[in-house]
């Protein structure tokens, strides 16, 4: 009789253990789903988005664009950079930014209507710079190109 009770107690403990493991796995899966599905680009929307992004050039057309595209280039302290942009918008906003190797904002242009232009900047650090083109519910097209003129060539 005591052996039968011991087996029943052992079986009840096994069932409780399995339920506990199942509950922990379920909780882990829920946490993974809730927190693991949020990437850094989770708010990105690209409808009808086509274009190219290479060396010193970023060229896009889009029906709707919310998000950020980036392009890196290497430059030396004292180099001159000449970004040229041409943005045509039917809606929304485009922001163009140049970020230094130490993550400092070097230059920023907010565009809410058709605009084109060019600027010249002398770079204050050596290293990898990043151009960011960010759309906020934008429709239209954006073109950005740049030339880096070495301080040795000037």
């Amino acid at each position: 009789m005591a052996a039968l009770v011991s087996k029943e107690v052992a079986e009840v403990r096994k069932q409780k253990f399995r339920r506990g493991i199942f509950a922990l796995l379920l909780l882990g899966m829920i946490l993974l789903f809730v927190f693991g599905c949020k990437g850094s680009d989770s708010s990105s929307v690209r409808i009808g988005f086509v274009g190219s992004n290479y060396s010193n050039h970023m060229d896009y057309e889009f029906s709707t664009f919310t998000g950020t595209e980036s392009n890196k280039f290497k430059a030396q302290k004292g180099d001159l950079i000449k970004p040229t942009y041409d943005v045509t918008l039917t809606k929304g906003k485009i922001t163009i930014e140049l970020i230094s190797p130490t993550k400092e904002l070097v230059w920023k242009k907010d565009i809410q209507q058709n605009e084109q232009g060019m600027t010249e900047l002398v770079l204050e650090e050596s290293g990898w710079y990043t151009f960011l083109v960010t759309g906020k519910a934008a429709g239209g097209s954006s073109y950005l190109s740049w030339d880096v003129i070495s301080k040795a060539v000037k």
Side-chain angles (χ1 to χ4, degrees):
M1 182 80 155
L4 185 59
V5 171
S6 288
K7 280 188 175 185
E8 288 177 5
V9 169
E11 189 61 34
V12 168
R13 286 183 181 165
K14 276 185 186 179
Q15 288 177 355
K16 285 184 178 181
F17 180 75
R18 287 182 187 148
R19 285 186 196 141
I21 294 294
F22 178 76
L24 284 173
L25 287 173
L26 185 61
L27 178 63
M29 289 173 55
I30 289 170
L31 290 172
L32 182 62
F33 178 76
V34 170
F35 295 108
C37 291
K38 293 187 178 184
S40 62
D41 206 27
S42 64
S43 62
S44 177
V45 175
R46 287 170 173 78
I47 300 172
F49 187 93
V50 294
S52 60
N53 178 344
Y54 56 90
S55 66
N56 66 334
H57 171 92
M58 299 170 79
D59 187 12
Y60 308 110
E61 291 184 25
F62 37 85
S63 297
T64 300
F65 171 43
T66 297
T68 301
E69 292 290 321
S70 65
N71 190 316
K72 292 184 178 247
F73 66 94
K74 195 168 189 176
Q76 300 301 314
K77 180 179 181 177
D79 286 354
L80 179 70
I81 184 167
K82 294 182 177 183
T84 301
Y85 59 91
D86 186 356
V87 177
T88 303
L89 291 174
T90 58
K91 62 181 180 180
K93 173 183 173 181
I94 291 287
T95 300
I96 303 171
E97 296 173 296
L98 177 60
I99 308 297
S100 75
T102 56
K103 309 295 184 223
E104 299 288 326
L105 180 64
V106 175
W107 175 73
K108 180 177 180 178
K109 183 69 181 174
D110 288 317
I111 302 169
Q112 296 183 0
Q113 59 188 8
N114 297 349
E115 186 175 334
Q116 53 186 273
M118 193 267 302
T119 191
E120 293 184 0
L121 306 160
V122 176
L123 302 176
E124 297 181 6
E125 301 175 54
S126 295
W128 288 95
Y129 284 79
T130 305
F131 268 111
L132 302 174
V133 175
T134 302
K136 296 215 179 184
S141 64
S142 71
Y143 173 82
L144 172 66
S145 67
W146 58 93
D147 293 314
V148 178
I149 301 167
S150 172
K151 64 181 178 184
V153 175
K154 290 185 231 171

